[in-house]
Amino acid sequence: MTIKLAKFGELSDEAILLLKSGDINFFSSFFWYKNWINSVVLAKNEKVQFLNYIQDGDVKLLIPLKSNGKSLESLANYYSPLFQVVSCLENKNDLFLEVFFKELKKSPYIWDTIVLRPMKQDYILYLSSYLKEIGLPNIPFFCFANWYLEVNFRSYDQYFSTLSSRVKNTVIRKTKQFYKLKDTRVEIITESKGLDKGIADFEAVYALSWKGEETYPDFISGLIKIASEHGALRLGVAYLNNIPVAAQLWIVADNSAYIYKLAYDEKHKKLSAGSILTATLMRYVIDIDKVAYVDYLSGDDRYKKEWMSHRRERWGIMIFNRHSMNGCFKMCNEYARFYFKKIVSK
């Protein structure tokens, strides 16, 4: 049983197949990381390590990380709605994680701290409890709220009837008004046809929205292309006078429709083109894609609550190596901050 750090370009064929397997969440897949590394990591010149846990010559567990010396952290940032430890057995990460962390404890020379985020809350709390049992100090922490919809085999019309009167009236009234205007339409791009124009229109709307410029401008266009190649793209654009005024990037994967990015031209805010676009895409993913879930990913924004049915939380965990000087120092510092916050919040 060995633990090995490898760069992305040095991953074994077995490790790559693991990242390409159908059990992996879209946001932890080989193609996700390839785009992430090409557009984010190279721009920041960050060091990337894939921590391989190898047993009997086979890769059993893979944890994508970025490193600053011996401080290791999930290969993730604000673009990443969910981080997954990649295991060779579906739904059996716990088995290999337990053995992996026991082995990691025996290898104090390769790490000081490990931060994993964002992950499912129950998974993090389980992991925290287990790590304490084997003597690895850690602090679990909240990352963000996640609002999602359980479709429950309903049609779009059945789902829409459950929304608040305010939302239903707004969508119905604004949709009628929108289509009475000159040269209005909504397009949903799902494949390579018209993709370059779709990307250009999305970027044009985004530049005119309240969100400003992307920190890593190549990331979103790369993500759109990857999603298109794998049949996961649902890129919606609303037009007025043949000019794009609202755009939304949805990704359909894992039996879910992920609402990834949205924007509208603030000059046309009164049109409510964003709401019209959301309703149009919602009908598409529910009635055509037949998804089981629609997921608004991160944030407690009011408009997300209005469209979704359930709330859950994404959490992270900071793990300390108390047998290294830096790990011990960071542990003392973080625990002091942790308990100070607890005292202040009382």
Side-chain angles (χ1 to χ4, degrees), residues 32 36 40 77-81 214-216 219-220 260-261:
W32 167 267
W36 209 92
V40 177
N77 66 358
Y78 46 81
Y79 284 134
S80 311
E214 283 285 346
T215 307
Y216 305 101
F219 178 83
I220 295 298
Y260 193 79
K261 277 277 186 182

Side-chain angles (χ1 to χ4, degrees), residues 5-6 33 36-37 40-41 44-51 63-80 83 110 113-118 216:
L5 288 168
Y33 284 122
W36 209 92
I37 288 168
V40 177
V41 172
K44 290 188 70 176
N45 198 27
E46 288 184 320
K47 292 182 180 179
V48 172
Q49 305 273 9
F50 282 72
L51 203 156
I63 307 181
L65 302 165
K66 50 187 176 181
S67 61
N68 180 11
K70 293 182 181 180
S71 296
L72 306 174
E73 187 175 345
S74 299
L75 188 55
N77 66 358
Y78 46 81
Y79 284 134
S80 311
F83 178 78
I110 68 170
T113 59
I114 296 178
V115 179
L116 303 178
R117 64 178 168 195
Y216 305 101

Side-chain angles (χ1 to χ4, degrees), residues 142-290:
F142 170 81
C143 292
F144 50 78
N146 168 224
W147 283 88
Y148 66 101
L149 168 72
E150 291 185 354
V151 179
N152 290 326
F153 304 102
R154 292 173 295 176
S155 68
Y156 170 78
D157 288 334
Q158 289 171 324
Y159 152 73
F160 187 74
S161 69
T162 67
L163 299 180
S164 69
S165 298
R166 191 184 71 82
V167 173
K168 287 188 291 186
N169 292 336
T170 297
V171 170
I172 294 169
R173 178 168 48 85
K174 290 294 185 178
T175 299
K176 288 180 180 177
Q177 292 175 358
F178 180 75
Y179 283 109
K180 286 180 180 178
L181 299 173
K182 184 179 179 182
D183 292 325
T184 54
R185 69 185 189 280
V186 170
E187 290 185 3
I188 300 176
I189 300 167
T190 62
E191 51 191 27
S192 59
K193 184 179 179 181
L195 190 61
D196 289 341
K197 183 178 184 303
I199 291 173
D201 289 345
F202 179 90
E203 291 177 342
V205 172
Y206 203 85
L208 294 170
S209 73
W210 70 99
K211 297 191 173 184
E213 295 183 0
E214 283 285 346
T215 307
Y216 305 101
D218 295 333
F219 178 83
I220 295 298
S221 60
L223 177 60
I224 291 173
K225 290 173 184 175
I226 285 172
S228 170
E229 290 167 5
H230 293 86
L233 179 66
R234 305 293 181 267
L235 179 62
V237 185
Y239 295 88
L240 171 65
N241 295 324
N242 293 317
I243 297 172
V245 293
Q248 295 186 10
L249 169 59
W250 291 33
I251 294 170
V252 172
D254 316 317
N255 206 20
S256 301
Y258 299 110
I259 307 175
Y260 193 79
K261 277 277 186 182
L262 51 85
Y264 59 82
D265 184 342
E266 290 194 277
K267 294 195 301 292
H268 300 289
K269 184 177 181 178
K270 291 182 178 180
L271 289 176
S272 294
S275 296
I276 296 167
L277 201 47
T278 297
T280 304
L281 282 160
M282 194 73 81
R283 182 184 291 278
Y284 191 100
V285 299
I286 291 175
D287 287 350
I288 297 177
D289 292 317
K290 307 288 186 184

